[in-house]
Amino acid sequence: AQKITQTQPGMFVQEKEAVTLDCTYDTSDPSYGLFWYKQPSSGEMIFLIYQGSYDQQNATEGRYSLNFQKARKSANLVISASQLGDSAMYFCAMREGGGGFKTIFGAGTRLFVKA
Amino acid sequence: GAVVSQHPSRVICKSGTSVKIECRSLDFQATTMFWYRQFPKQSLMLMATSNEGSKATYEQGVEKDKFLINHASLTLSTLTVTSAHPEDSSFYICSASTSGYEQYFGPGTRLTVT
C-alpha cells in the first residue's frame, strides 16, 4: 500500500534562509508522481512542484526544488531564500500510475518564517 | 491555467438537513474528480473518486449513502451530505484531473452543522 510520511510537524526558519521539509514515501508501483502543495490559512491548496518517478533530474520551480532520492524513497522540498509569505502548511503527496489514480497526502509540516 | 471552483465557500446548516457542494472545472474537462475532507490541523483525507458518467468509488470507511457524489458531466461533480450531523462539520475540498498526473484543487467549502 502506498504511504507518505512527513515527520516534521513544525519547522522554523529565518527569513532569507533555506529550509528543507522532509518527505518519505512507500509504494510498490514503479510509476508514480510526487507532489508538494502549500496550504495557507485560507485553505486553498497551491501546487508547488512535481517529480515523476522516471525523471532523471530533480525538479525545480523558482525558489522550490525537490531533492529526489529514489533509492531512499525520499522527496524532500527545499525552499531557498525564505519569505514571510512562505509561512503555511506544506503537504507532500504521491499519486501512483497514470491519470485517474488517487493521490494520498502526508500529515503535513507547518512552516514558520521568522523576520 | 486550470481553474476549479467550489460553491458554496461556506455553509451552515442545521442537524438533520442535507447540503450540496458543487465542484466545477472552469476551463478544462475533468475525466476524474476527487473529494477530500480535512479536519482542523489535519491532512486531506480522500473520500471518493468519481469519473464522469459512472458511480463514484468510495474509500474505506466513507459512507456512500451519507456522502452522495454525482459526476454529471466532464465539468461538474457534486457532493451531497445527507442528514448532516455536527461531526460532519469539516473542510471539503474537491480536485479535478485530466489524463496526466496533475490535479487541480478547488478553494474548499467549510461546512458547519449546528
Side-chain angles (χ1 to χ4, degrees):
Chain A
Q2 51 179 332
K3 187 178 178 181
I4 291 280
T5 303
Q6 292 180 255
T7 58
Q8 305 156 312
M11 288 281 287
F12 285 88
V13 64
Q14 195 68 39
E15 192 180 11
K16 299 180 184 177
E17 292 186 350
V19 62
T20 298
L21 306 184
D22 295 340
C23 173
T24 58
Y25 61 92
D26 191 20
T27 178
S28 57
D29 194 327
S31 177
Y32 53 89
L34 296 159
F35 304 81
W36 277 92
Y37 292 90
K38 173 184 178 181
Q39 188 180 42
S41 56
S42 60
E44 62 183 311
M45 295 290 285
I46 301 170
F47 166 76
L48 296 178
I49 196 165
Y50 163 80
Q51 179 86 42
S53 60
Y54 295 117
D55 293 345
Q56 295 296 314
Q57 294 188 325
N58 287 344
T60 60
E61 290 285 350
R63 294 186 299 113
Y64 305 106
S65 60
L66 198 151
N67 184 2
F68 182 44
Q69 298 189 43
K70 196 170 183 177
R72 290 186 172 185
K73 293 189 175 179
S74 75
N76 298 340
L77 176 71
V78 180
I79 305 175
S80 62
S82 297
Q83 302 172 356
L84 295 178
D86 293 335
S87 294
M89 196 73 172
Y90 288 81
F91 292 101
C92 180
M94 177 174 67
R95 191 173 187 186
E96 290 179 336
F101 289 84
K102 62 184 181 183
T103 300
I104 61 164
F105 287 80
T109 296
R110 182 162 294 281
L111 179 66
F112 300 91
V113 180
K114 300 183 290 184
Chain B
V3 179
V4 175
S5 70
Q6 272 184 250
H7 179 78
S9 57
R10 288 179 179 271
V11 58
I12 301 172
C13 69
K14 292 190 175 181
S15 187
T17 62
S18 295
V19 62
K20 180 185 285 188
I21 302 169
E22 290 187 349
C23 176
R24 292 181 185 272
S25 55
L26 298 183
D27 51 2
F28 67 101
Q29 293 187 324
T31 51
T32 307
M33 287 186 171
F34 304 88
W35 286 95
Y36 297 86
R37 68 187 296 182
Q38 185 181 30
F39 291 109
K41 301 189 189 305
Q42 294 189 24
S43 186
L44 279 72
M45 183 195 79
L46 181 66
M47 299 175 67
T49 302
S50 73
N51 293 292
E52 184 263 340
S54 60
K55 289 185 178 180
T57 302
Y58 290 81
E59 294 299 302
Q60 194 173 6
V62 178
E63 300 175 58
K64 58 182 69 177
D65 293 332
K66 181 167 187 62
F67 299 99
L68 301 178
I69 292 171
N70 183 9
H71 195 157
S73 73
L74 285 171
T75 60
L76 174 64
S77 177
T78 60
L79 167 68
T80 302
V81 183
T82 63
S83 187
H85 291 285
E87 57 265 31
D88 298 325
S89 298
S90 188
F91 191 57
Y92 293 86
I93 307 175
C94 73
S95 71
S97 178
T98 56
S99 58
Y101 277 106
E102 255 189 88
Q103 57 180 316
Y104 306 96
F105 285 85
T109 296
R110 193 163 302 281
L111 170 64
T112 303
V113 184
T114 61

